Every structure is written in C-alpha cells, then in structure tokens.
Amino acid sequence: MSKELLNKFNQVLRPYYAELTRPSICDNAALQQYLDRLCADQEITSFLRTMNSDIEALFSNLDETNQKVLAKYLKVRFFKEALAASVTQSVLSHFDSDAIMAFAREVQQSVPFTLANERDLFNIVNLLQVVTLAFAAKCEKALQDQGIDCSYRLPEINNASLAEIMPEANTAAMLARASRDGYKYHNLYRFCAKPQILQAISRDRACRETVDNCRLIRSIISQADNAKVYYDARGTAYINRVPAGSDKSDFYLTRTFATAIHETRANVAMFTLGADSLKAFSTNDCAKVLSKQQVNVLVSNIVNTMGLHSTSSFNLEQTFADCANISGLIKFMEQVKQPYKLSLQFSSLNTACLQLLFTAQVSEQQQELAPEAPAPAKPAKSNAKGKKTKKA
C-alpha cells in the first residue's frame, strides 16, 4: 500500500476499527450511531474506488443515480466482509440477552426475517446476519430518502413473456409485485440445467400462481445449439452419449442465449452474471436478437460472503473482483443497437444480490409501427412438453 493510500486508510477506516477495540458500543443507541455514521460516510466509497480499479471503472460507466445505488450496495458488502464480525462480537460482549432480542425485533420491523428460536440470536453467525440486515436497511432507507426506489422489480409490461434462463430466488417476489402493481406476465419459461434444478423449481408454486402459463424447459445455455446432455444417477453429465441405465429421451438440450430468447419470444430475459454466462451472452447473435425483439434484460450479480474475515485477510481486489463482470456486461449492452436504460436494484432483503435492469427504450414511432406481438415459438420437442405448469 502506498503512503498516500495508507494515509487515506488511517483517515477514513481506522477510526471505525479503533472504535471496535474499545467498549464504546455498549448499548443500542451507540450501535445505531455507529451504523448511521458509517452509512452516511461518503469517504468510504471514495476509498474503495481508489483501492480497486474495477470499482472505479464500474462507477465511471454509471449515471449519478446508479452511482448512489452502487455506493450503498458496495458499502454493505464491505461492512459484512470487513467490519460486521467485529461489530457483532462487540454486541455479544456488551449487550445483555434482553438488549440483543430488542435489537433484533427492531431490525425485523424494517427487514422481515424469521428465526426458529430466539436463542439462535446468541450464535455469532446468526447475529452477524441480523447486524448486516440492520446496516443494509439503513442504506436502503438513505436511498429512499433521496427519492431513489432501487427495490427489485420487473419491467412494467402487460401480458408479456419472461424467460428465466437461470432461475433465481427473486423471481416469485417480483412477479407478485408486478401483479399487485397491475401488470400481469402471460408466459414464464424457466430453464432447468440439471435434474436438481428441475426438481426444485417443479415444486415451486409461487411463480406458477402469478402467471398464466409456466413452462419448464430442460436446457443448458452453451456456446452452441442442439447438443444432448444426459445425467447419470450420480449427476455426472454426458454430452451426446447415453450413460448406462439412462433413458435416451431423458436429455437436456444445449441452447445459446440467442436461441433461448428467440424461441421463447421473450420480452424479458433473466440470468445470473458470471464469467461464463457473460461470455455466452456477449455474442453478435445475441445482440442481434436483443435489437430485433427489443428485449429487456434483467441480470443478477450474486456474491457469497460469510463476513467472518479478519482484518489481516481482507482483500479488496478479491472481494470486489465481480465488478469487472458488471462493467463488461454494461459495455456489451451499450454496443447493442437497441438503446437501453440501466437501473441498478438493491434490497436489504437480499444483501448478496445486485440486479441490473436494462429497459429497452422504444420510441413513439417504433410503438406506432410495431406489429402485434407474435405467439411464442414452441421450444424443441421433448424439452418443453405440456401446457400450463406441466414440467418437461
């Protein structure tokens, strides 16, 4: 670390660490003051941008509103990785049991969560989650106070088709919200890449109850179309080869992103961001389909953080390495001929997920000339059988 960065660390972050070495957070008022100060401290974002070139590059690709959302999201992640464990240990050391339960109940008013037993709060891992939710709720409220609604939501389109190319946990809640807001999605195509996923989402009633037609498609997103992938009893994949004891008709067909979007006639395409999915999505064929069909794109950037790192093992470059993938996605979408508006979505209900909604900007002239939307094409035979809610 250069002398300049070390000085900035001492000025910006060291005071927060130093406070945790003293018995200053000894009650709820002191804890709330600490979290409020951290939430409002703009120098932390400045420090993160200075320390990580991927973060700086990502900020440079965003407008002012999205920069504010990103700043809060990254601050919550930084808090969970670098500070939350020490804050939680301070709470366990200085709060009595009644104070801890009162704090948890206060957090529940902003961010609903459940515990099997209140005694679970005295486990550092569980209490760490509650402390993180408390801080995330403050960050979300700070954005709301600025008039920024960054909650998870789908594009406001009536009777449209949604292709959930990589099923996500937020889908059911967003469909329910769209229904409450007066927008009803007609078709939901849920792509299943392996037997475990197929079994899990075939039991998911929440999505089926908020759309007219829900179809499960046994398919794997790949760089090429029409390869057959078989799984044996152990879950091992075989490409274009039927393993012993398996049915030759029990396969998962590979599709490119372009094919998946084209076949479903999706108005909204959803997937999870990662190095592999970004590479598969960022193709000329996909760009052409997005432009031709004026597809909205909703991408989930999900990180798995435990928040139990020590200060000495905390690494900003590793912690925020995913920012490079986000920047790569934004740059690709900027190259698509169809103009898009980007909105970042972050919620204290799921601090591990940042969603990027790219809304196709259709001009009034395009709306007047646009023909009636065609019925979705039928996906390949034996991979999307049945009608409403029937699995493949």
Side-chain angles (χ1 to χ4, degrees):
M1 185 183 295
S2 68
K3 184 177 180 180
E4 181 183 357
L5 286 176
L6 181 60
N7 289 336
K8 193 161 189 177
F9 174 86
N10 288 333
Q11 295 169 4
V12 177
L13 294 181
R14 190 171 295 282
Y16 290 103
Y17 287 106
E19 188 167 345
L20 296 173
T21 64
R22 303 187 295 266
S24 53
I25 302 181
C26 56
D27 57 29
N28 189 42
L31 173 61
Q32 298 297 337
Q33 185 181 41
Y34 181 91
L35 298 179
D36 285 336
R37 188 167 71 252
L38 188 68
C39 177
D41 192 340
Q42 297 182 4
E43 289 301 315
I44 293 177
T45 301
S46 176
F47 176 78
L48 295 177
R49 294 179 65 169
T50 303
M51 282 291 294
N52 188 302
S53 58
D54 290 334
I55 291 179
E56 177 57 34
L58 178 54
F59 269 95
S60 67
N61 287 319
L62 300 174
D63 61 23
E64 183 179 358
T65 298
N66 284 321
Q67 284 185 349
K68 291 178 180 178
V69 178
L70 179 66
K72 295 300 185 187
Y73 165 73
L74 294 180
K75 189 178 289 186
V76 170
R77 282 179 54 179
F78 171 77
F79 173 76
K80 186 172 184 179
E81 288 281 351
L83 292 171
S86 297
V87 173
T88 303
Q89 188 60 59
S90 183
V91 170
L92 284 171
S93 300
H94 300 106
F95 285 37
D96 60 30
S97 59
D98 289 339
I100 290 176
M101 288 189 287
F103 164 68
R105 285 193 289 269
E106 183 179 334
V107 177
Q108 278 183 308
Q109 294 177 6
S110 301
V111 190
F113 66 90
T114 58
L115 289 170
N117 193 307
E118 284 190 331
R119 285 177 293 184
D120 292 341
L121 286 170
F122 306 108
N123 176 295
I124 187 171
V125 175
N126 292 331
L127 184 58
L128 184 147
Q129 297 294 337
V130 177
V131 170
T132 302
L133 289 175
F135 181 64
K138 288 181 180 294
C139 290
E140 187 176 15
K141 185 177 185 304
L143 290 169
Q144 293 171 348
D145 290 344
Q146 297 176 65
I148 300 174
D149 178 10
C150 60
S151 55
Y152 299 138
R153 63 193 180 280
L154 292 165
E156 297 177 343
I157 309 172
N158 235 338
N159 297 319
S161 293
L162 174 66
E164 189 187 36
I165 298 173
M166 295 177 183
E168 293 298 344
N170 294 329
T171 303
M174 289 189 295
L175 284 170
R177 171 176 174 169
S179 181
R180 290 195 301 271
D181 291 345
Y183 296 92
K184 182 78 171 179
Y185 277 81
H186 181 59
N187 294 301
L188 171 61
Y189 297 93
R190 310 191 78 183
F191 284 68
C192 315
K194 57 182 63 176
Q196 297 93 318
I197 296 176
L198 179 65
Q199 293 167 10
I201 68 175
S202 64
R203 294 191 297 265
D204 182 3
R205 295 178 55 190
C207 288
R208 298 199 302 267
E209 291 174 351
T210 51
V211 294
D212 295 327
N213 300 291
C214 180
R215 300 182 185 181
L216 307 187
I217 301 177
R218 297 155 58 108
S219 188
I220 301 169
I221 296 302
S222 178
Q223 297 287 342
D225 288 316
N226 299 325
K228 295 179 180 180
V229 180
Y230 297 86
Y231 290 93
D232 64 15
R234 296 181 178 180
T236 303
Y238 296 80
I239 301 175
N240 290 328
R241 183 162 66 90
V242 184
S246 298
D247 185 342
K248 66 178 182 180
S249 65
D250 187 14
F251 61 85
Y252 293 71
L253 196 67
T254 63
R255 286 177 172 84
T256 63
F257 268 105
T259 299
I261 295 170
H262 174 70
E263 283 188 354
T264 59
R265 298 291 192 269
N267 302 97
V268 183
M270 300 172 59
F271 68 95
T272 305
L273 185 62
D276 291 340
S277 61
L278 176 60
K279 182 179 179 180
F281 182 73
S282 304
T283 65
N284 290 333
D285 287 342
C286 190
K288 291 176 182 178
V289 171
L290 294 177
S291 294
K292 184 177 181 179
Q293 295 184 199
Q294 298 173 348
V295 183
N296 300 280
V297 179
L298 183 60
V299 183
S300 298
N301 182 68
I302 301 174
V303 293
N304 183 20
T305 58
M306 290 299 296
L308 294 174
H309 294 290
S310 66
T311 306
S312 60
S313 67
F314 181 68
N315 185 307
L316 282 174
E317 295 296 329
Q318 293 177 357
T319 299
F320 297 110
D322 58 297
C323 289
N325 289 333
I326 300 176
S327 292
L329 174 66
I330 293 172
K331 290 177 181 178
F332 170 73
M333 294 300 294
E334 289 174 346
Q335 296 170 7
V336 177
K337 291 183 179 180
Q338 171 68 46
Y340 284 92
K341 178 183 178 182
L342 171 62
S343 300
L344 297 187
Q345 301 177 357
F346 159 68
S347 172
S348 54
L349 289 170
N350 186 356
T351 60
C353 179
L354 177 73
Q355 291 190 166
L356 296 89
L357 173 60
F358 297 89
T359 306
Q361 301 299 287
V362 182
S363 67
E364 292 183 3
Q365 183 179 10
Q366 286 176 307
Q367 290 177 335
E368 291 175 358
L369 297 176
E372 185 178 346
K378 292 183 179 180
K381 187 177 181 181
S382 83
N383 283 274
K385 296 178 182 178
K387 296 183 179 181
K388 182 176 179 181
T389 74
K390 288 188 179 180
K391 67 180 182 180

